[in-house]
Amino acid sequence: QVRKSPTYQEQQNVIISGAVNFEGEYAMTSKEFRLSELVKMSGGLTSLAYPKGARLLREMTPAERQQRTNQLKAAQISLYEQSMDSERKFNLERADSLLEMKMDLGNTYNVAINLDEAIKNPGSELDIVLRDKDQLIVPQYNGTVKISGEVMYPISINYKKGAGLSYYIKRAGGYNQTAGKKNTYAMYMNGAVEQLGRHASGKNIEPGCEIVVPTKKKRDGLSTAEIMILGTSTVSISSMIISLINSMK
């Protein structure tokens, strides 16, 4: 019988694409292969790169997939228990639809990164260790901000440094009557999502982001358990679900 060397490790690969000199798939050269090393292998960033908007897509492990499934099932069970214990009318059909959509959103998720700082400080905590099949996407600079949802005129306009939320809402014609102003949120190029509320300052608005004004929640809106179903996974998946809900109304 041929024994494997204790130091043997199957080749693991990561992918980099976008505003780098040499896009492609690269073999990880060590167990602690980091973001900065991948960028260096690709020949570095181009002059048009926007590292602050870079995002890392990671494939779920079987354990992570099982954890998500368990969380969603637990939320569903809680929903049915609440529907039996309460006189309130629960929209179980909608909750089940949300659950099915969330299960079908794929097996990847965004990992929060700060590529600019990782490159400046190789080997630091910000220069995270990569995992097999990770995909690093480096966008070009996008000098616009998109305003969508419950505004009078959804539009993309030039980013203005220091301008707050009101500046962008005004240039989209203002809110319409069905706007859920306090739940306005921003989706950034790196995949992060942040709630802005009504009066966000300029530091919360970044080039390339999308400002989303959701529909005002009706009195028979999401129940506590339905919200649990929405909140049992990554932020990026939750933002996709929110957009789907608004488009279905």
Side-chain angles (χ1 to χ4, degrees):
Q1 183 179 0
V2 179
R3 296 182 180 179
K4 286 185 178 180
S5 167
T7 59
Y8 172 79
Q9 183 179 4
E10 290 187 8
Q11 180 173 300
Q12 297 184 329
N13 298 321
V14 287
I15 300 169
I16 187 168
S17 61
V20 293
N21 285 302
F22 302 103
E23 298 178 294
E25 186 171 336
Y26 292 87
M28 298 171 65
T29 55
S30 68
K31 291 183 178 180
E32 293 192 358
F33 189 75
R34 297 175 182 267
L35 279 172
S36 62
E37 294 176 89
L38 177 57
V39 172
K40 186 176 181 180
M41 271 191 173
S42 70
L45 306 181
T46 70
S47 58
L48 298 176
Y50 182 55
K52 193 171 184 179
R55 57 195 179 98
L56 182 69
L57 287 179
R58 176 160 288 177
E59 191 172 293
M60 289 184 180
T61 64
E64 287 170 338
R65 286 195 294 270
Q66 186 60 51
Q67 182 182 35
R68 183 180 69 173
T69 299
N70 292 342
Q71 289 173 332
L72 291 169
K73 286 181 177 178
Q76 187 182 37
I77 291 170
S78 175
L79 176 64
Y80 280 93
E81 288 177 341
Q82 288 184 45
S83 69
M84 289 186 290
D85 295 340
S86 173
E87 295 181 359
R88 178 180 172 178
K89 183 181 178 181
F90 282 76
N91 193 332
L92 298 176
E93 184 177 347
R94 181 169 66 173
D96 285 344
S97 296
L98 293 175
L99 180 66
E100 289 175 10
M101 284 191 290
K102 200 158 188 180
M103 292 295 289
D104 290 338
L105 283 175
N107 293 317
T108 60
Y109 60 94
N110 281 303
V111 178
I113 62 171
N114 188 328
L115 184 59
D116 204 20
E117 291 299 318
I119 294 172
K120 292 176 182 176
N121 302 282
S124 67
E125 291 183 357
L126 293 172
D127 189 17
I128 67 172
V129 175
L130 298 178
R131 204 160 77 181
D132 186 33
K133 299 179 183 177
D134 277 355
Q135 300 178 52
L136 177 61
I137 303 165
V138 184
Q140 292 186 6
Y141 178 79
N142 181 349
T144 65
V145 172
K146 183 178 181 181
I147 306 99
S148 62
E150 301 301 325
V151 290
M152 299 302 292
Y153 186 67
I155 192 174
S156 291
I157 64 174
N158 288 336
Y159 169 76
K160 182 178 179 181
K161 187 175 181 179
L165 177 62
S166 60
Y167 171 86
Y168 295 97
I169 296 298
K170 184 177 181 180
R171 278 147 187 82
Y175 298 106
N176 63 30
Q177 292 182 345
T178 58
K181 301 176 185 178
K182 66 179 181 180
N183 292 320
T184 298
Y185 61 94
M187 295 191 294
Y188 301 103
M189 292 183 72
N190 67 356
V193 178
E194 181 179 354
Q195 185 167 345
L196 301 177
R198 298 186 184 187
H199 306 292
S201 67
K203 67 180 181 180
N204 301 108
I205 312 297
E206 296 179 359
C209 78
E210 179 176 0
I211 298 169
V212 183
V213 182
T215 304
K216 185 187 300 181
K217 191 177 75 171
K218 298 178 182 178
R219 290 187 177 182
D220 61 347
L222 294 177
S223 67
T224 301
E226 286 175 308
I227 291 172
M228 285 174 60
I229 287 179
L230 284 178
T232 50
S233 190
T234 63
V235 171
S236 58
I237 292 179
S238 296
S239 65
M240 291 173 67
I241 291 291
I242 292 169
S243 298
L244 285 168
I245 295 170
N246 290 331
S247 66
M248 290 166 61
K249 290 184 177 179

